[in-house]
């Protein structure tokens, strides 16, 4: 026996979603043997856009029964039945969450008519209820009202029961270990089955092939499955629009983190929140003015010629230059810590030897600036981190030059690398960002000694 269900809701996520209408048809495989349909008072306001979609407004539900008044009817009519719905996880989870708030458990076997249709009726452009019913000639009246959609789903279900190969498919879907009821309704099982149990990054895609979420994992398949079991609103919304999943192997968690960071910034996926903010890099640089005095300054990186150091906000740049100014007895005016002044008078820096007052030899001052620049350059490191490859025949590497992440690569273990420039043949160039710097610093702090220092390219 099957209970074929459709609900209308207030649309406030999954856990905040309140039922405004419910319709249940009891179907024995041949005919409808019972029905329960009712408006429901959600005890909250119905948003205007929901009323525009369903036609259900606050006046319609004001005198309708509250869920607690009809819950016994829902439990009784669905008892010992298989719960069926179009995109079943949405309807099932909303009802389950609503009943949990009333202190009641709701556990039923589930079948999804979207997943069943994709398997038994392949080849359609869209598997939304409206378009599928139109393609199959199934009458659908009162669209986006619970009874109209539930009745159309019942007629669709009747076709599915009689489709070629239905017995085997239904048996497979009802197998508790098949995970069919767990997978997103639009995701082919084959897309899930191909996923590896290895480290890497994965890409959730919508029906148009657009990447909508990027993640990383030590075990890709296990991590993706956890998305399907997660009942947070964001996860359920993500799964509702997921039609395919792709992946790239990384060999290690370090590379997975770096690849994920790059992919998020490149694709800007709708369901990713972290790392999407574009952080403006700033460069510290020097220049010589028309009087021959060398300055230290900072600006946005693209406007900082021959930058000697990259930082990610003006405050860090200013604090860094302050320390250099103190250490090398430079002038705050010519380090742009004070603007539009004839002579410096910085409240924290009193080490200026008088270049701004024409009391210090110009050549001597410029020599101090050059010493400061060489000191900054000398702090930069060149190193490579070796990690596991994607298979036993290869290993991976992460390359850092002048303290900036430049990329990663994979090398066959039989290759002989004797010099840094030989790595560049295998290098996948990447952007250095605040996030990649943080990832690499965190890795080094947790894995001391893993970085192999390379000869510095800095000038003496």
């Amino acid at each position: 026996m099957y209970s074929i269900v459709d609900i209308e809701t207030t649309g406030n996520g999954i856990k905040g979603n309140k039922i405004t209408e419910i319709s249940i048809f009891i179907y024995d495989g041949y005919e409808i043997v019972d029905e329960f349909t009712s408006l429901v008072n959600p005890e909250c306001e119905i948003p205007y856009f929901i009323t525009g979609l369903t036609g259900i407004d606050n006046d319609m539900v004001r005198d309708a029964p509250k869920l607690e008044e009809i819950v016994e009817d829902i439990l009784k009519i669905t008892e010992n039945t298989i719960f069926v719905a179009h995109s079943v996880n949405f309807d099932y989870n909303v009802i389950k969450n609503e009943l949990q708030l009333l202190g009641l458990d709701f556990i039923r076997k589930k079948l999804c008519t979207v997943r069943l249709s994709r398997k038994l009726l392949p080849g359609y452009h869209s598997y939304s209820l409206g378009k599928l019913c139109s393609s199959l000639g199934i009458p659908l009246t009162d669209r986006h009202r619970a009874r109209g959609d539930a009745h159309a789903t019942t007629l669709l279900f009747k076709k599915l029961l009689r489709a070629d190969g239905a017995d085997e498919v239904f048996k497979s879907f009802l197998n508790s270990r098949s995970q069919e009821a767990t997978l997103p309704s639009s995701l082919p099982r084959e897309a899930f089955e191909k996923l590896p149990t290895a480290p890497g990054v994965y890409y959730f895609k919508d029906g148009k092939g657009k990447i909508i979420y990027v993640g990383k994992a030590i075990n890709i398949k296990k991590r993706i499955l956890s998305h399907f079991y997660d009942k947070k609103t964001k996860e359920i919304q993500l799964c509702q629009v997921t039609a395919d999943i792709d992946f790239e192997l990384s060999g290690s968690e370090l590379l997975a983190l770096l690849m994920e960071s790059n992919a998020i910034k490149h694709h800007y996926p709708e369901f990713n929140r972290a790392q999407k903010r574009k952080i403006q890099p700033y460069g510290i640089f020097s220049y010589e003015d028309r009087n021959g005095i060398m300055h230290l300054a900072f600006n946005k990186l693209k406007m900082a010629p021959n930058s000697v150091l990259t930082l990610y906000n003006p405050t860090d740049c200013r604090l860094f230059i302050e320390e250099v100014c103190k250490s090398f007895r430079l002038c705050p005016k010519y380090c742009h810590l004070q603007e539009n002044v004839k002579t410096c008078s910085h409240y924290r820096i009193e080490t200026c030897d008088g270049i701004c007052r024409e009391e210090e030899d110009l050549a001597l001052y410029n020599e101090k600036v050059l010493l400061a620049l060489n000191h900054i350059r000398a702090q930069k490191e060149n190193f490579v981190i070796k990690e596991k490859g994607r298979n036993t025949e290869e290993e991976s590497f992460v390359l850092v030059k002048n303290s900036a992440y430049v990329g990663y690569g994979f090398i066959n273990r039989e290759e002989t690398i004797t010099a840094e420039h030989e790595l560049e043949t295998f290098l996948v160039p990447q952007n250095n960002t605040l996030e990649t710097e943080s990832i690499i610093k965190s890795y080094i702090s947790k894995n001391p000694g893993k970085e192999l220092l390379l000869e510095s390219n800095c000038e003496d």
Side-chain angles (χ1 to χ4, degrees), residues 317-333:
C317 291
R318 183 172 291 276
L319 290 173
F320 181 85
I321 291 177
E322 279 186 16
E323 291 305 311
V324 171
C325 195
K326 290 177 188 176
S327 299
F328 290 88
R329 303 187 67 84
L330 303 181
C331 176
K333 173 184 175 180

Side-chain angles (χ1 to χ4, degrees), residues 253-441:
E253 184 179 19
L254 172 61
L255 263 74
L257 285 163
L258 294 169
M259 292 164 70
E260 176 197 38
S261 179
N262 178 71
I264 290 171
K265 290 186 178 298
H266 179 71
H267 296 289
Y268 213 72
E270 175 185 351
F271 285 90
N272 283 97
R273 293 177 183 170
Q275 301 193 49
K276 286 171 71 173
R277 184 164 59 99
K278 292 183 178 179
I279 299 174
Q280 176 67 57
Y282 289 81
I284 292 175
F285 65 102
S286 67
Y287 70 92
E288 186 176 302
D289 68 20
R290 59 187 178 184
N291 296 318
I293 300 173
M294 292 189 68
H295 291 234
L296 275 185
F298 69 87
N299 205 336
K300 293 177 181 178
L301 189 61
K302 62 183 178 182
M303 300 175 68
N306 302 315
S307 169
V308 292
L309 183 69
T310 301
L311 296 171
Y312 292 93
N313 63 69
T315 300
D316 285 351
C317 291
R318 183 172 291 276
L319 290 173
F320 181 85
I321 291 177
E322 279 186 16
E323 291 305 311
V324 171
C325 195
K326 290 177 188 176
S327 299
F328 290 88
R329 303 187 67 84
L330 303 181
C331 176
K333 173 184 175 180
Y334 294 120
C335 289
H336 292 263
L337 298 173
Q338 289 186 288
E339 303 287 353
N340 302 317
V341 294
K342 289 185 177 181
T343 60
C344 70
S345 57
H346 197 282
Y347 70 101
R348 280 204 300 264
I349 303 172
E350 300 176 351
T351 52
C352 175
D353 290 325
I355 185 68
C356 58
R357 299 185 297 274
E358 299 183 356
E359 295 173 3
E360 182 179 13
D361 181 74
L362 186 150
L364 182 60
Y365 181 80
N366 284 351
E367 182 63 29
K368 291 194 298 186
V369 176
L370 290 173
L371 287 172
L373 291 170
N374 285 337
H375 172 76
I376 296 170
R377 293 189 183 103
Q379 306 308 307
K380 296 184 176 182
E381 290 185 299
N382 296 338
F383 61 86
V384 64
I385 298 172
K386 288 187 178 182
E387 264 291 355
K388 295 178 182 177
R390 297 163 296 187
N391 53 59
T392 55
E393 284 76 42
E394 70 176 15
E395 59 185 2
S396 64
F397 69 90
V398 172
L399 184 60
V400 174
K401 296 177 71 174
N402 293 326
S403 295
Y405 168 59
V406 295
Y408 66 87
F410 300 95
I411 303 177
N412 192 296
R413 289 183 181 275
E414 295 180 359
E415 290 280 348
T416 302
I417 302 296
T418 59
E420 174 197 334
H421 70 271
E422 294 175 352
L423 290 174
E424 295 182 6
T425 303
F426 306 94
L427 185 70
V428 180
Q430 300 285 283
N431 292 324
N432 182 66
T433 65
L434 180 61
E435 287 81 10
T436 59
E437 285 188 8
S438 177
I439 289 166
I440 292 171
K441 285 177 182 176

Side-chain angles (χ1 to χ4, degrees), residues 56-309:
I56 301 172
D57 59 23
N58 294 308
D59 289 337
M60 287 177 64
V61 299
R62 184 169 288 114
D63 297 323
K66 299 174 183 177
L67 184 64
E68 61 192 55
E69 298 174 52
I70 59 173
V71 67
E72 291 301 325
D73 295 320
I74 294 171
L75 291 172
K76 184 176 179 181
I77 198 171
T78 61
E79 189 176 12
N80 299 319
T81 67
I82 297 168
F83 189 105
V84 181
H86 207 68
S87 295
V88 69
N89 286 328
F90 173 80
D91 300 77
Y92 184 85
N93 287 323
V94 170
I95 293 172
K96 185 179 179 72
N97 287 333
E98 285 264 58
L99 297 194
Q100 279 181 342
L101 294 174
L102 297 175
L104 299 168
D105 290 329
F106 187 75
I107 300 172
R108 303 288 188 269
K109 287 187 175 181
K110 297 180 289 181
L111 283 172
C112 177
T113 51
V114 177
R115 296 194 61 77
L116 286 168
S117 297
R118 286 182 174 277
K119 190 73 174 178
L120 293 167
L121 305 171
Y124 288 95
H125 178 68
S126 171
Y127 285 85
S128 70
L129 183 61
K131 290 183 179 178
L132 196 55
C133 286
S134 177
S135 299
L136 295 171
I138 295 172
L140 174 54
T141 56
D142 289 332
R143 183 75 174 108
H144 296 303
R145 289 296 301 269
R147 190 181 189 282
D149 286 356
H151 186 258
T153 304
T154 303
L155 298 178
L156 170 62
F157 189 70
K158 181 178 181 180
K159 282 185 178 291
L160 294 169
L161 279 172
R162 288 153 180 77
D164 290 342
D167 288 346
E168 201 62 37
V169 169
F170 272 72
K171 182 179 178 181
S172 170
F173 276 43
L174 288 170
N175 185 331
S176 60
R177 289 180 291 183
S178 74
Q179 298 171 333
E180 285 288 353
T182 304
L183 300 182
S185 57
S186 297
L187 180 70
R189 183 172 181 81
E190 297 74 27
F192 177 73
E193 291 295 346
K194 73 179 182 182
L195 297 172
T197 56
V201 292
Y202 54 90
Y203 308 90
F204 280 58
K205 298 180 178 180
D206 64 15
K208 296 180 179 179
K210 180 183 177 182
I211 293 173
I212 54 175
Y213 182 80
V214 176
K216 66 88 189 171
I218 297 175
N219 182 324
I220 291 176
K221 193 167 194 174
K222 183 178 179 181
R223 177 68 184 96
I224 287 174
L225 191 60
S226 73
H227 284 284
F228 304 156
Y229 282 111
D230 196 326
K231 300 309 176 189
K232 294 186 182 72
T233 296
K234 175 196 166 188
E235 297 287 355
I236 291 174
Q237 290 173 341
L238 169 62
C239 291
Q240 283 178 335
V241 292
T242 297
D244 193 15
I245 300 176
D246 205 353
F247 64 89
E248 286 183 87
L249 295 178
S250 67
S252 68
E253 184 179 19
L254 172 61
L255 263 74
L257 285 163
L258 294 169
M259 292 164 70
E260 176 197 38
S261 179
N262 178 71
I264 290 171
K265 290 186 178 298
H266 179 71
H267 296 289
Y268 213 72
E270 175 185 351
F271 285 90
N272 283 97
R273 293 177 183 170
Q275 301 193 49
K276 286 171 71 173
R277 184 164 59 99
K278 292 183 178 179
I279 299 174
Q280 176 67 57
Y282 289 81
I284 292 175
F285 65 102
S286 67
Y287 70 92
E288 186 176 302
D289 68 20
R290 59 187 178 184
N291 296 318
I293 300 173
M294 292 189 68
H295 291 234
L296 275 185
F298 69 87
N299 205 336
K300 293 177 181 178
L301 189 61
K302 62 183 178 182
M303 300 175 68
N306 302 315
S307 169
V308 292
L309 183 69

